[in-house]
Amino acid sequence: MRTRLKELRARNGLNQTELAKRAKVSRQTISLIEREEFIPSLLIAVRIARIFNEAIESVFLFEEEEIE
């Protein structure tokens, strides 16, 4: 799974700590998601997508073989 999290944070002027507070997770969780070392739960993914007013599928990008 790829993510646009870092790009969206930059576009919205948020650092990892600010995003983490809004998403109700730790800064380390945001860092792990950005480095693609952690796949967030659906609840966290929804929170993050809503913060950026984006669809989940536009924040978290799956390769077709990952889904099948």
Side-chain angles (χ1 to χ4, degrees):
M1 179 187 80
R2 294 185 307 115
T3 178
R4 295 179 50 230
L5 201 50
K6 194 171 187 176
E7 168 197 338
L8 293 168
R9 272 195 318 100
R11 184 180 77 188
N12 287 273
L14 294 174
N15 63 35
Q16 288 182 343
T17 302
E18 293 166 334
L19 177 57
K21 285 179 184 177
R22 290 187 187 188
K24 301 177 184 175
V25 298
S26 70
R27 186 207 54 81
Q28 292 84 355
T29 298
I30 298 300
S31 178
L32 288 169
I33 295 169
E34 285 185 0
R35 294 192 324 254
E36 301 174 2
E37 295 178 10
F38 176 75
I39 297 175
S41 69
L42 182 56
L43 178 60
I44 293 170
V46 168
R47 286 180 187 155
I48 291 171
R50 286 186 177 176
I51 289 166
F52 296 118
N53 199 27
E54 297 271 349
I56 292 174
E57 297 89 353
S58 73
V59 178
F60 302 98
L61 311 168
F62 294 92
E63 301 296 328
E64 191 61 37
E65 58 270 7
E66 291 177 311
I67 298 170
E68 295 176 355

